[in-house]
Amino acid sequence: MENSVDVKIETKGERKPIKQNPLSKAGKKVCRAVGYITGDMKEFGAWLKDKPLMIQFIDWVLRGISQVMFVNNPLSGLIVVAGFLVQNPWWTLTGCLGTVVSTLTALILGQDRSAIAAGLYGYNGVLVGLLMAVFSAKGNYHWWLLLPVALMSMTCPVFTSALGSVFCKWDLPVFTLPFNLALTLYLAASGPHNLFFPTTVIQSATATPNITWTNAEMPMLLQSIPVGVGQVYGCDNPWTGGIFLIALFISSPLICLHAAIGSAVGMLAALSLATPFSKIYSGLWGYNSSLSCVAIGGMFYAFTWQTHLLAIACALFSAYLGATVTNMLSVFGVPSGTWSFCLSALTFLLITTHNSAIYKLPLSKVTYPEANRAYYLKMKKHQRSCCEV
């Protein structure tokens, strides 16, 4: 074949030339290049280790922003920030401030450097910064709000470390519990009548909604799927949700798939309870289900068809639990946050089973679903080889 390259391979003392197509070499180079920006970008993190601390810190912050969706990828974090800008530049500022302060606090407290570098001390901070701006009654660019954002973000590493010391006994992650604690404390302490930092009024339902099923709009129901993913960060713009899905796909197609499935399951659960269409369209039923589906569907369990079904069940459970938590906390005038996601995901991670296809990974081995599955298959192969011996 013309334009072919001779590659010589030694076999039993002989050299046999084989023909290798240049297109196949180019394909391998492309795959290798794509590998550098997908997954957890491990090579990029290793390359940064001898670089100035400020450059490393930017990488940690970006990873923290994407870690909200279990993604340890700075490129994905940068795309998520672009989604913030599409939604609201002011929220972008408060969210980034929360991540920076939370990560800095973890450094000052001397927390594990590898966990900081993976963004595990930044993701609760970005949620605190975003949601404090979302629930502020003062609107955009109330500059004094940056002070409580910084203060509450400083509590996130404290909550993370404290909860981690308890949860490590069961090898469980803390998820977004630090964010829930910080946001609930702030909103309960300030409230809608606070002179300096008033919050939006949250009221429980007082009347039965009038639902007319013929008024349901299929395009809006489908649009609620990316909106539900966006609501993980408190964003209700469908374009922002779409950008988030792109960020997830770059790191892990399995995370992107389960995020979308989880949001769709939440939408279906809302329809089954005759929820007002406005709440469904706003994605408020999708975000907890989306997080739960990702957590169980390949993140903390190795991905198999059994854990895929388990993830869908967890998403459904999280959606109904979210309605319960919302009704309960609305009595106290505070939002439900991601309490239902945390409670449902922790519950499903604590289940015991003799089914080898439902394999919970050790927390130290969790990276991203594709790599988690490779680790699981390697473990199964090793076990089979040991049994044969």
Side-chain angles (χ1 to χ4, degrees), residues 231-266:
Q231 282 286 10
V232 171
Y233 291 90
C235 301
D236 60 359
N237 188 321
W239 290 104
T240 298
I243 292 172
F244 291 168
L245 285 171
I246 293 172
L248 301 182
F249 184 83
I250 287 174
S251 175
S252 168
L254 280 176
I255 289 181
C256 179
L257 174 66
H258 283 93
I261 291 174
S263 183
V265 168

Side-chain angles (χ1 to χ4, degrees), residues 45-315:
W47 177 76
L48 282 176
K49 283 187 176 178
D50 59 348
K51 299 298 182 291
L53 183 61
M54 183 57 66
I55 296 177
Q56 294 184 53
F57 187 79
I58 294 172
D59 174 67
W60 301 344
V61 168
L62 291 175
R63 289 178 187 269
I65 290 172
S66 63
Q67 275 284 13
V68 175
M69 296 293 297
F70 307 106
V71 170
N72 181 13
N73 187 306
L75 178 59
S76 296
L78 191 62
I79 295 172
V80 169
V81 172
F84 292 165
L85 289 170
V86 171
Q87 174 72 40
N88 190 313
W90 170 243
W91 295 3
T92 307
L93 177 60
T94 57
C96 290
L97 175 65
T99 321
V100 169
V101 172
S102 183
T103 307
L104 274 176
T105 305
L107 280 172
I108 295 170
L109 292 176
Q111 299 302 301
D112 181 62
R113 182 61 70 91
S114 62
I116 296 173
L120 296 179
Y121 283 93
Y123 69 92
N124 283 293
V126 67
L127 289 177
V128 168
L130 286 167
L131 273 297
M132 284 178 64
V134 169
F135 288 107
S136 173
K138 287 282 189 177
N140 296 334
Y141 302 105
H142 177 51
W143 296 102
W144 285 108
L145 184 66
L146 298 180
L147 178 61
V149 164
L151 291 175
M152 296 312 299
S153 298
M154 290 171 66
T155 67
C156 290
V158 177
F159 287 137
T160 299
S161 182
L163 291 170
S165 65
V166 177
F167 284 15
C168 67
K169 303 180 191 305
W170 299 278
D171 200 32
L172 292 172
V174 299
F175 289 130
T176 53
L177 284 173
F179 150 70
N180 286 315
L181 289 169
L183 183 69
T184 302
L185 287 173
Y186 168 76
L187 294 178
S190 54
H193 304 296
N194 187 277
L195 181 62
F196 298 121
F197 307 109
T199 60
T200 55
V201 178
I202 297 173
Q203 294 178 336
S204 56
T206 56
T208 304
N210 185 16
I211 303 296
T212 305
W213 292 103
T214 54
N215 291 338
E217 301 177 34
M218 184 56 67
M220 293 297 292
L221 289 174
L222 294 175
Q223 182 178 286
S224 71
I225 295 175
V227 174
V229 176
Q231 282 286 10
V232 171
Y233 291 90
C235 301
D236 60 359
N237 188 321
W239 290 104
T240 298
I243 292 172
F244 291 168
L245 285 171
I246 293 172
L248 301 182
F249 184 83
I250 287 174
S251 175
S252 168
L254 280 176
I255 289 181
C256 179
L257 174 66
H258 283 93
I261 291 174
S263 183
V265 168
M267 179 260 291
L268 294 174
L271 290 173
S272 72
L273 290 182
T275 305
F277 296 130
S278 60
K279 288 187 178 181
I280 300 176
Y281 298 156
S282 64
L284 294 177
W285 273 76
Y287 69 96
N288 280 303
S289 300
S290 182
L291 285 170
S292 299
C293 197
V294 172
I296 304 301
M299 196 65 208
F300 296 97
Y301 281 112
F303 178 71
T304 60
W305 69 265
Q306 290 93 338
T307 56
H308 178 66
L309 295 178
L310 191 67
I312 295 174
C314 184

